[in-house]
Amino acid sequence: MEELWRSLAEATCGFRERLGDHPVSPSVGPAEIRRHLQERYSFQRPVGAGELVRDVAAMLERWGVQVTHPRYFGLFNPTVRPVSVAADALVAFYNPQLALWAHAPAANEIERHVLRFFLGRLGFDPDGAAAHFTSGGQEANHTAVIAALTHRFPALAAGGLRALEGQPTLYGSAEVHHSFQKIAHATGLGRGALRTVPVGADLRMDPAALERAVEEDRRQGCAPFLAVATAGTTAAGVIDPLPAVAEVARRHGLWLHVDAAWGGAALLSRRLRGHLDGIEAADSATWDAHKWLSVPMAAGMLFCRHPAVLARAFGTEAGSYVPKGVRGTRDAYATSLQWSRRCIGLKVFMALAELGAGGYEELVDHQAAMGEALRERLLGAGWRVVNRTPLPLVCFTHPRIEGGALSPRAVAKRVVAGGRAWVSTVHLATGQEALRACITSYRTTPEDLDILVEELERAVAARQGRGLKRTRLGPQPPPRPGSPSPQHRRRT
Ligand SMILES: *Cc1c(COP(=O)(O)O)cnc(C)c1O
C-alpha cells in the first residue's frame, strides 16, 4: 500500500505547478483514447498498481478539459482544495455507510456538524431545520420537489398523481436550471408542469408575471404548489428578487425553493451576502459544495425547514435487515432520496476546518474581485457586458459580433482551440447569444485575466475561417499515456 500511495503522490504532486503551461483543453477524439485502452487493457494480464496509477494520471492530464486550470473560465467546476481530495481518499478507504447513523456515528456527526454551520449561514434554525448532502444540485432540487409535493398533496403518497384533483404546476424563471425539466419528468408531473416565468431585461424573474401565471393556472383548474427562485443563475449568475418571489409564494400557499447551487457561496462573504437576503424565508434550498466551495464532485446540499415532511416523503417501513435507529439521531436512508450513501460531507468539513470561515470568505471575495476585474478589462478593451450581477460571472459581446462579422460561438471556439483559456457561450432568455466567462478557480490571478482578454482580442481580430494556432503553449506537452513522463522519472 505504501508504494501505491507513493505512486499516487508522484503522479499528482507538481501538476498544479505545471498547469499554467498546460493546455486547458485537449485536442483528442474518441479513436485515439479507445486505441490506447484497447492496446493496454485487454484485461488478459494483470497490470501493476503503480503502473496503472501513472498511466491513468497521464490519460486524465492529457485527455481532458483541465477544470482546475486557473484559466478555465467555465461551468462552475472548481479548482479543488487539496485537503478535500485527501478527505475523499479517507472516505474511500474507510468506506463508511451513512445510511444508518449506528453504522457510521463519526461520519454522520461530522456531516451534521458542518451542515449546521451552513444552516446558520442560510438563516435557517440549525435545531429546527433538516439538511443533508446530495450528489449535487440535481438531486437536491429533485428532493425539494418531492418534499413540496408531499407537503401539499397528502393523497399523493398512497395514490400517486392520479389521486389528485388538478394538474400540479411549478414555477421557475425562464433562466431556471434545466434540472427541473428532468425532475418534472422523473416525478411523473410531466415536463409541461414546469411553467417558465418571464424575466426582465435584467434576467431576473418578474414576480408580477409569476403571480399572474399562478392565478391563470388556478383558473384553469391546475394546482400550483411550488415556486423556484434562483440565486445565481447558471447562464448569467443573476439573482432572482427573493423577497418579492417569497411574498408571491406566501400569498398563494406555494412552497418556496431557492436554488443557490452556485451562488450560495456568497453567503460566506460579508460583502456579498446581502444580495441573497430573503433566502431565510425559503422552505428549502439547494447549495452545491462542488461548485464555488471548491471541493471535488459530487457534493450538493439540501436544506429544508420541515424535517417532518422529509421523513414523510422518504420514510419506509424499515426492512427486517435494517438495525434499529438510535435515539436523538436521524437515519439518512429514511429522510432522503439515497439509500446506501457515501460520506460526502467530509471533504466540505475538512476544507472548512482548514481554511476557517475567514479563509472561505477570502476565497469567495477573491473570486468576486476577479470577476469585477474581468468586467473592467473587457469594458476597457471595447467589449460590452450584457449581464448584471455581483457574482463573478460575465456575459459579454463585441461590436464585431453585434455587427454580424462573427458569432460568439466562433470566438469561443477560437479561444478554446488556442489552448490558453477556456470560455463558452450562452443563449440568454432575452434572446441574446453571448460569451460567458466565470471565475471558477481560487487560483485565478489578474495575469490570467490579461491572458484571457488577449486571447479574446486575438479571436475577434482573426480573419473569418482562420483558427488560432497552438503556438504559444508551454514548452512541454503533457506526457503521453503509456510513456513514462520526464516528471515521473525525475521524481522517483
Ligand atoms: C449546477 C446547477 C444545478 C445542477 O447541479 P448539479 O450539481 O450539476 O447536479 C442546479 N441549479 C443551478 C442553479 C446550477 O447552477
Side-chain angles (χ1 to χ4, degrees), residues 76 136-138 141 177 179 230 232 234 259 261-262 288 290-291:
F76 297 156
Q138 167 85 47
N141 287 342
H177 192 267
S179 55
T230 310
T234 316
D259 184 356
W262 174 64
D288 271 354
H290 66 207
K291 288 180 174 169

Side-chain angles (χ1 to χ4, degrees), residues 11-321:
T12 54
C13 291
F15 179 59
R16 288 273 167 97
E17 285 62 42
R18 298 198 293 281
L19 201 51
D21 292 330
H22 189 295
V24 187
S25 45
S27 101
V28 66
E32 191 180 345
I33 303 169
R34 287 173 193 170
R35 198 177 324 116
H36 176 79
L37 292 170
Q38 207 70 49
E39 280 167 10
R40 286 178 70 95
Y41 302 103
S42 64
F43 306 128
Q44 296 307 304
R45 73 169 179 94
V47 180
E51 182 189 339
L52 256 178
V53 167
R54 280 189 292 281
D55 186 53
V56 170
M59 281 195 269
L60 295 175
E61 204 164 305
R62 187 179 182 97
W63 290 330
V65 175
Q66 299 306 325
V67 299
T68 68
H69 197 295
R71 289 193 299 279
Y72 170 74
F73 296 98
L75 305 175
F76 297 156
N77 302 305
T79 297
V80 293
R81 303 292 305 168
V83 77
S84 60
V85 178
D88 256 4
L90 284 168
V91 167
F93 188 76
Y94 291 100
N95 202 25
Q97 166 61 283
L98 267 71
L100 295 165
W101 188 93
H103 240 58
N108 266 299
E109 288 297 315
I110 286 170
E111 286 202 341
R112 178 176 180 273
H113 186 66
V114 69
L115 286 165
R116 286 171 67 86
F117 170 85
F118 292 108
L119 278 167
R121 291 306 170 111
L122 279 161
F124 284 26
D125 170 16
D127 293 315
H132 62 262
F133 283 96
T134 64
S135 59
Q138 167 85 47
E139 184 194 331
N141 287 342
H142 194 163
T143 303
V145 172
I146 295 170
L149 280 169
T150 303
H151 169 72
R152 173 62 199 280
F153 306 106
L156 181 119
L161 290 168
R162 281 193 305 180
L164 309 186
E165 297 260 313
Q167 163 73 47
T169 47
L170 66 156
Y171 304 78
S173 87
E175 294 274 304
V176 78
H177 192 267
H178 291 89
S179 55
F180 285 98
Q181 292 181 2
K182 299 199 330 187
I183 293 162
H185 187 143
T187 49
L189 288 164
R191 292 174 185 236
L194 174 62
R195 307 290 202 244
T196 50
V197 178
V199 293
D202 57 3
L203 296 168
R204 304 166 83 210
M205 183 193 278
D206 174 358
L210 168 65
E211 184 146 44
R212 281 195 300 275
V214 169
E215 284 165 351
E216 177 56 25
D217 279 336
R218 216 167 248 144
R219 269 195 297 276
Q220 302 293 329
C222 296
F225 73 101
L226 166 66
V228 179
T230 310
T233 57
T234 316
V238 160
I239 301 164
D240 282 337
L242 303 181
V245 175
E247 180 52 30
V248 175
R250 198 194 55 73
R251 260 205 305 277
H252 292 274
L254 309 182
W255 180 286
L256 175 65
H257 178 68
V258 176
D259 184 356
W262 174 64
L267 292 167
L268 302 183
S269 156
R270 275 164 296 182
R271 274 189 54 249
L272 295 174
R273 64 164 299 133
H275 296 287
L276 268 62
D277 277 354
I279 199 168
E280 69 285 349
D283 294 291
S284 57
T286 288
W287 182 352
D288 271 354
H290 66 207
K291 288 180 174 169
W292 200 347
L293 296 186
S294 301
V295 305
M297 287 175 271
M301 300 185 279
L302 182 277
F303 302 90
C304 178
R305 286 203 293 149
H306 315 289
V309 174
L310 293 182
R312 274 213 307 285
F314 300 108
T316 67
E317 281 171 44
S320 54
Y321 46 85

